């Protein structure tokens, strides 16, 4: 049983949860995730560890309320417990002195790129962070990101803050100024795929952190299979970070949808209760 | 009084059958198929044992249970004594009585086997394990006085549980680290409820807890904490992380939705209780026609599970029935329940629709050629014999490799060609100081009892090391 220290909605439909997990807080590195299970009958879902405090023994994750599990999660409060929090899983993001790095985050990725930007900055890179969202009220963690970035660029679809538009704006950002040595993208698979399309003509190494379905997170079940560079990889142990230009995005999108009809059914029955 | 010569006992060749659920009933539920002996049946079976002076059954048992002795105790109606004899050598009798391949081990050279009346050692073992569990109080064995030494065990499958039992009885402090949220390893996530009820696994785990074994679930060694950091806190480590890396047949279409590894399929049902979906949260698809690739016990488990979820289940196997590696008992159970078998059939491609869902399997017909190294006749494809079978799900049950997490994250461990941790087969010692290993992580996917046998050897070597 893992104790919840704080669980709150920060922007519509997106919540942060902080739990007491000292072992994980002591060993997690930027880019790793944890697997959570709300209660005994619960399913296992992966969430990126977006911040942590090794001294206090806490880890923080950000989740979007999409299915039954995340909805259930959102009803819990301080001092409630979770049946499982296991991690840190997956490989850490490769952190090195690359030179100039652009970190892009959308959705939960606003948060999950934060520790990546921080680690890159500590390594001496010049870090530009880009966050994107529907509107200014959907963005969060901007102040945190500013402290670990040389520059923060905001893109909103309705133009309520920063540049108006979407990830397609990346092209103009890349074309202006010196091109980055590496681009890292975190967020929904569509955002990552689109970003990869934008960086391809510039031949910029682009790393994405794939979010697949998962069960164990230790390489045991294979539900997290993705095709990268024409070969099958298990996202939980071989990834979740891969070269965006080698990922089979169509397959990934279809595999994510595998349980869509079941999810709709569970949501319906859980709402009816 | 003159001694009367004892009449030579008449040999009873009537191996007592164990009651089972009727096939048309059981194929629709997840309850255990075999119902176990009653006390009367167990005693009748036990009385058939010839009590050989030189028993082959013991020699063929990987943990050398004193089989004739516990059988005699059953024959005498002293079940408590039987349990004591059994548990001296095997801490998981209810499990082994159910899942061991007895026909390859204790029952193989039984003196009555040649005459067609093999003693049902496994059924008797199961009877005693279950009898004990049904008693109001499970007796706890004496523990040796505390040694002050600490042993960490990585992995809570049969190997880990067995080593834990031996080491705690020897007076050491024992902590098990398990990656999943339940203890039991394959016993919990792999072997289905209808063959090994999870309540039995929980019961055995609970017994160890009462003996004082400390258990941490949701703890992945190599990730949550490194092996080297664990070695700083413990005097010795036993690695029992199993063979959890699933194989897929090399062919196209493996990533369509509806394609599973046996591990995923069984985990969704057993560990995550997907059959209770949507009451439980983990979804499971209600497929209509399921193909299971492979012919071992795992394949039978998958097919019989699919059947219980309402699908038509078909085993697709490239050799013939005689070469099926599964236990005969499991094959017969599957056949009785209505699993279909496509023999001499080699899948070559999974076909899907534009929404990435499986629609069919393309196969080749095979014929049996010359016997290969394993003595089995090897199948050879018949050119031009391609044909298509419609399915909406394909489960790959062709095997697993050792779990790579510890090998990849632990410097100083010698790793074999198949990804296994290399050990000394007598002691279980690895190339790394104070680290032992055993079970599927060392041998590749094998059996529960061989994992337990390896664990007992390692535990005794660890004990020797700690006391010197
Ligand atoms: C479906 C199926 C049916 C089977 N049927 C039979 C049968 O009828 N009879 C039979 O004898 N055998 C059967 N087997 C084989 C048998 O289950 C195994 O040989 C046996 O379980 C091996 O035991 P083990 O303790 O070595 O490993 P496992 O049972 O695999 O246990 C290993 C444990 O270690 C954990 N782990 C892995 N990595 C880590 C880590 N880094 N940190 C912490 N924990 C970790 C895993 O989560 C797992 O719980 C079957 C196997 C399967 C898959
Ligand atoms: S989540 Fe099971 S293998 Fe990756």
């Amino acid at each position: 049983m893992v104790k919840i220290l704080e669980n709150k909605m920060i922007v519509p439909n997106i919540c942060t949860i902080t739990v007491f997990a000292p072992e994980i807080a002591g060993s997690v590195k930027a880019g790793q995730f944890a697997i959570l299970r709300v209660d005994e009958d619960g399913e296992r879902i992966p969430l990126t560890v977006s911040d942590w405090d090794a001294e206090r023994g806490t880890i923080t994750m950000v989740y979007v309320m999409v299915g039954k599990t995340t909805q259930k999660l959102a009803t819990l409060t301080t001092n409630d417990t979770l049946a499982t929090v296991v991690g840190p899983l997956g490989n850490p993001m490769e952190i090195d002195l690359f030179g100039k790095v652009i970190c892009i985050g959308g959705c939960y990725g606003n948060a999950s790129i934060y520790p990546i930007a921080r680690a890159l900055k500590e390594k001496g890179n010049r870090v530009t962070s880009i966050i994107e969202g529907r509107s200014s009220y959907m963005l969060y963690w901007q102040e945190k990101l500013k402290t670990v970035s040389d520059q923060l660029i905001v893109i909103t679809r309705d133009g309520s803050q920063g540049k108006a538009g979407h990830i397609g704006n990346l092209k103009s950002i890349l074309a202006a100024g010196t091109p980055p040595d590496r681009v890292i993208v975190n967020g929904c698979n569509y955002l990552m795929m689109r970003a990869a399309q934008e960086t391809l003509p510039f031949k910029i190494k682009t790393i994405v952190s794939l979010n697949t379905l998962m069960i164990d997170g230790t390489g045991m079940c294979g539900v997290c299979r993705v095709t990268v560079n024409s070969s099958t990889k298990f996202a939980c142990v071989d990834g979740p970070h891969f070269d965006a230009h080698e990922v089979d995005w169509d397959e990934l999108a279809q595999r994510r949808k595998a349980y869509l009809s079941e999810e709709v059914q569970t949501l319906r029955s859980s709402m009816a209760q | 009084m003159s001694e009367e010569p004892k009449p030579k006992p008449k040999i009873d060749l009537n191996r007592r059958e164990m009651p089972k659920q009727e096939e048309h009933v059981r194929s629709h539920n997840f309850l255990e198929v075999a119902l176990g002996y009653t006390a009367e049946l167990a005693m009748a079976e036990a009385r058939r044992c010839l009590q050989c002076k030189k028993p082959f059954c013991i020699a063929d048992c990987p943990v050398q249970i004193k089989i004739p002795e516990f059988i005699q105790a059953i024959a005498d109606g002293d079940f408590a004594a039987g349990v004591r004899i059994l548990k001296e050598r095997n801490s998981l009798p209810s499990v082994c009585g159910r899942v061991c391949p007895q026909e390859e081990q204790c029952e193989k050279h039984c003196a009555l086997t040649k005459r067609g009346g093999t003693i049902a050692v496994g059924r008797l073992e199961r009877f005693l394990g279950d009898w004990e569990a049904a008693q109001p109080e499970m007796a706890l064995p004496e523990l040796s006085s505390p040694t002050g030494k600490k042993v960490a065990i990585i992995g809570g499958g049969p190997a880990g549980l067995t080593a834990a039992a031996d080491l705690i009885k020897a007076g050491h402090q024992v902590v098990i680290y398990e990656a999943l949220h339940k203890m039991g390893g394959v016993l919990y996530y792999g072997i289905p409820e209808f063959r090994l009820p999870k309540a039995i696994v929980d019961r055995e785990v609970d017994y160890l807890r009462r003996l004082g074994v400390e258990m941490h679930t949701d703890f992945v060694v190599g990730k949550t904490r490194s092996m080297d950091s664990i070695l700083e806190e413990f005097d010795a480590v036993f690695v029992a992380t199993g063979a959890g890396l699933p194989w897929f047949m090399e062919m196209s279409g493996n990533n369509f939705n509806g394609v599973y590894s046996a591990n995923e399929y069984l985990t969704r049902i057993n560990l995550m209780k997907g059959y209770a979906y949507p009451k439980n949260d983990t979804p499971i698809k209600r497929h209509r026609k399921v193909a299971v690739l492979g012919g071992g016990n795992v394949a039978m488990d998958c097919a019989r599970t699919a059947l219980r979820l309402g699908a038509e289940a078909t085993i697709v196997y490239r050799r013939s029935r005689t070469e099926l590696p599964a236990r005969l008992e499991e094959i017969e159970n599957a056949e009785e329940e209505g699993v279909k078998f496509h023999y001499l059939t080699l899948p070559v491609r999974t076909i899907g629709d534009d929404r990435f869902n499986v629609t069919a399997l393309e196969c080749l017909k095979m014929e049996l050629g010359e016997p290969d190294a394993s003595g089995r006749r090897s199948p050879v494809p018949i050119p031009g014999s391609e044909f298509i079978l419609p399915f909406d799900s394909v489960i790959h049950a062709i095997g697993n490799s050792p779990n790579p997490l510890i090998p990849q994250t632990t410097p100083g461990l010698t790793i074999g060609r198949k990804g296994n941790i290399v050990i000394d087969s007598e002691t279980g010692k690895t190339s790394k100081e104070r680290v032992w290993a055993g079970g599927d992580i060392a041998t590749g996917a094998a059996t529960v009892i061989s994992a337990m046998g390896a664990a007992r050897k390692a535990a005794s070597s660890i004990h020797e090391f700690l006391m010197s």
Side-chain angles (χ1 to χ4, degrees):
Chain A
M1 287 293 187
V2 175
K3 201 164 106 181
I4 298 176
L5 302 174
E6 189 182 56
N7 188 22
K8 62 174 185 205
M9 193 181 282
I10 44 170
V11 297
N13 241 19
I14 297 184
C15 308
T16 62
I17 184 165
T18 300
V19 301
F20 185 65
E23 291 276 5
I24 303 177
S27 52
V28 64
K29 295 202 171 61
Q32 290 187 295
F33 61 91
I35 283 186
L36 278 73
R37 199 168 54 107
V38 175
D39 53 33
E40 269 316 304
D41 296 338
E43 66 178 332
R44 298 168 61 103
I45 58 158
L47 297 175
T48 306
V49 180
S50 293
D51 203 1
W52 57 88
D53 184 332
E55 266 165 38
R56 285 178 55 225
T58 65
I59 60 170
T60 299
M61 289 146 295
V62 170
Y63 61 95
V64 187
M65 290 164 61
V66 280
K68 184 179 177 190
T69 299
T70 44
Q71 305 248 358
K72 226 165 51 173
L73 197 55
T75 63
L76 302 177
T77 58
T78 306
N79 290 333
D80 283 344
T81 54
L82 297 174
T84 289
V85 179
V86 55
L89 299 169
N91 296 304
M93 176 64 75
E94 182 194 358
I95 302 292
D96 211 334
L97 184 54
F98 300 113
K100 182 177 170 186
V101 184
I102 293 185
C103 295
I104 304 172
C107 193
Y108 70 83
N110 282 196
S112 65
I113 53 155
Y114 165 70
I116 295 170
R118 179 172 66 190
L120 287 165
K121 184 81 191 137
E122 274 166 14
K123 204 68 189 180
N125 291 284
R126 273 190 302 125
V127 177
T128 297
S129 294
I130 302 179
I131 53 175
E132 105 50 270
R134 209 163 357 115
S135 185
S136 61
Y137 69 85
M138 291 300 290
L139 301 173
Y140 57 94
W141 284 30
Q142 294 196 37
E143 291 310 312
K144 279 171 84 113
L145 271 170
K146 270 185 199 154
T147 64
V148 297
S149 317
D150 295 282
Q151 188 190 9
L152 176 69
I153 298 174
V154 172
I155 305 175
T156 52
R157 241 149 296 157
D158 63 1
S160 51
Q161 191 191 339
K163 290 180 195 294
H166 53 77
I167 193 62
N169 286 20
L170 186 57
K171 200 182 298 137
S172 60
I173 295 170
L174 293 173
T178 43
D181 299 287
R182 179 169 289 226
V183 171
I184 295 169
V185 200
N186 270 215
C188 68
N189 288 327
Y190 180 75
L191 172 85
M192 295 193 283
M193 177 190 73
R194 286 287 291 113
Q197 289 166 350
E198 298 300 327
T199 59
L200 184 61
F202 295 88
K203 295 199 169 58
I204 301 166
K205 177 101 167 170
T206 303
I207 305 293
V208 287
S209 310
L210 301 184
N211 54 77
T212 62
L213 300 179
M214 289 191 188
I215 299 178
D216 58 302
T218 65
M220 181 270 276
C221 75
V223 70
C224 59
R225 305 197 291 294
V226 289
T227 299
V228 180
N229 200 10
S230 307
S231 71
T232 295
K233 302 280 178 201
F234 287 8
C236 70
V237 285
D238 301 324
H241 317 293
F242 295 101
D243 186 324
H245 299 142
E246 296 181 343
V247 171
D248 182 337
W249 293 101
D250 279 347
E251 179 188 281
L252 181 68
Q254 297 292 351
R255 284 186 65 78
R256 275 238 53 133
K257 286 193 222 152
Y259 290 92
L260 207 60
S261 56
E262 282 78 7
E263 275 168 33
V264 171
Q265 185 197 342
T266 11
L267 258 186
R268 275 208 201 106
S269 58
S270 71
M271 281 167 160
Q273 276 163 16
Chain B
M1 233 165 63
S2 67
E3 290 249 327
E4 271 188 40
K6 269 194 188 162
K8 223 176 161 197
K10 211 171 140 268
I11 292 181
D12 175 358
L13 288 175
N14 174 21
R15 178 176 161 110
R16 301 300 192 276
E17 282 306 321
M18 186 164 51
K20 286 203 250 182
Q21 277 197 73
E22 297 260 358
E23 52 263 23
H24 64 275
V25 177
R26 68 178 197 245
S27 59
H28 299 290
N29 68 43
F30 277 89
L31 302 177
E32 196 175 10
V33 167
L35 301 172
Y37 279 154
T38 58
E40 292 69 38
L41 272 172
M43 287 169 73
E45 179 65 17
R47 287 200 198 103
R48 298 200 305 117
C49 174
L50 300 182
Q51 294 292 325
C52 306
K53 289 271 156 350
K54 279 198 188 134
F56 289 112
C57 48
I58 302 187
D60 288 336
C61 168
V63 295
Q64 262 104 63
I65 298 172
K66 294 173 189 154
I67 294 167
E69 283 183 38
F70 89 71
I71 292 184
Q72 187 59 52
I74 298 179
D76 297 341
D78 189 352
F79 303 145
V83 170
R84 266 196 313 279
I85 299 162
L86 193 49
K87 283 208 156 174
E88 258 174 50
R89 296 289 165 91
N90 184 338
S91 48
L92 305 172
S94 284
V95 173
C96 291
R98 285 173 168 81
V99 305
C100 270
Q102 289 97 7
E103 66 281 7
E104 299 288 325
Q105 298 173 167
C106 50
E107 295 180 7
K108 190 169 187 173
H109 296 113
C110 170
L112 294 178
T113 295
K114 275 206 204 90
R115 304 173 60 175
T118 312
I119 297 291
V121 181
R123 295 171 187 175
L124 291 171
E125 179 182 29
R126 166 188 168 142
F127 168 76
L128 279 184
D130 290 0
W131 176 84
E132 189 197 22
Q135 303 312 301
E137 191 89 17
M138 254 217 245
L140 292 182
E142 286 286 313
L143 304 187
S144 304
S145 48
T147 60
K149 304 285 184 186
K150 285 180 80 174
V151 185
I153 292 178
I154 308 176
L161 296 176
T162 302
D166 282 7
L167 289 164
I168 195 126
K169 284 186 215 157
H172 309 297
Q173 195 186 331
V174 179
V175 181
I176 307 184
Y177 294 102
E178 165 56 48
L180 293 172
H181 58 263
K182 281 283 190 183
M183 300 291 297
V186 169
L187 304 181
Y188 207 97
Y189 76 74
I191 302 180
E193 179 79 15
F194 55 82
R195 211 147 66 75
L196 177 64
K198 299 311 140 210
I200 291 173
V201 183
D202 285 340
R203 187 172 87 206
E204 304 290 3
V205 169
D206 190 54
Y207 172 78
L208 287 182
R209 216 175 257 132
R210 281 170 54 216
L211 286 181
V213 175
E214 194 179 317
M215 304 180 191
H216 295 280
T217 48
D218 297 324
F219 197 110
V220 186
V221 175
K223 292 285 180 185
T224 311
R225 205 167 149 193
S226 71
M227 172 89 95
D228 284 334
S229 143
I230 287 188
L231 276 167
E232 282 170 22
E233 193 190 322
F234 291 86
D235 298 295
V237 173
F238 177 58
V239 183
T241 49
L245 184 74
W247 295 342
F248 288 86
M249 279 190 76
E250 274 186 41
M251 60 181 187
S252 68
N254 281 348
N255 293 350
F256 284 128
N257 291 324
V259 179
Y260 306 86
S261 71
N263 282 356
E264 181 192 345
Y265 193 71
L266 295 171
T267 297
R268 279 184 185 275
I269 305 292
N270 298 327
L271 178 70
M272 307 308 298
K273 309 228 179 309
Y275 56 82
Y277 175 85
K279 185 194 151 288
N280 281 38
D281 296 343
T282 303
I284 181 83
K285 288 264 174 207
R286 295 291 171 153
H287 296 292
R288 280 175 298 115
K289 284 171 84 77
V290 176
V292 180
L293 315 186
N297 290 318
V298 180
M300 299 303 146
D301 284 347
C302 291
R304 295 172 69 198
T305 297
L307 202 77
R308 283 162 172 76
L309 288 169
E312 181 188 299
T314 307
I315 298 259
V316 179
Y317 183 56
R318 63 201 175 103
R319 304 178 196 240
S320 69
R321 188 176 187 275
T322 35
E323 286 85 16
L324 280 174
R327 296 180 63 191
L328 187 61
E329 186 186 333
E330 300 306 327
I331 299 166
E332 285 171 356
N333 277 331
E335 287 171 342
E336 282 170 20
E337 290 166 13
V339 171
K340 297 187 168 172
F341 289 79
H342 262 285
Y343 293 114
L344 293 169
T345 305
L346 178 75
V348 290
R349 178 166 75 102
T350 300
I351 303 169
D353 62 17
D354 54 358
R355 299 174 62 196
F356 262 72
N357 292 317
V358 172
T359 55
L361 200 57
E362 183 178 321
C363 303
L364 269 179
K365 281 242 163 283
M366 309 288 277
E367 57 191 353
L368 286 181
E370 294 302 306
D372 65 8
S374 71
R376 296 187 298 180
R377 293 178 64 195
S378 47
V380 199
I382 303 173
S385 66
E386 286 85 354
F387 65 106
I388 286 178
L389 294 168
F391 289 111
D392 60 355
S393 174
V394 175
I395 301 171
H396 292 242
I398 58 163
N400 288 297
S401 312
N403 188 309
L405 254 171
I406 298 278
Q408 277 168 7
T409 56
T410 310
L413 275 182
T414 303
I415 306 304
R417 243 184 339 111
K418 291 177 179 153
N420 55 306
I421 297 181
V422 176
I423 59 168
D424 176 310
S425 63
E426 279 316 304
T427 60
K429 267 202 185 104
T430 69
S431 57
K432 195 173 169 81
E433 239 185 278
R434 294 191 288 127
V435 178
W436 282 255
D440 284 3
I441 184 67
T443 54
T447 60
V448 172
I449 193 68
S450 59
M452 292 175 63
R456 299 212 63 185
K457 282 187 188 166
S460 106
S461 167
I462 291 171
H463 177 64
E464 210 172 280
F465 164 80
L466 292 177
M467 300 315 280
S468 65

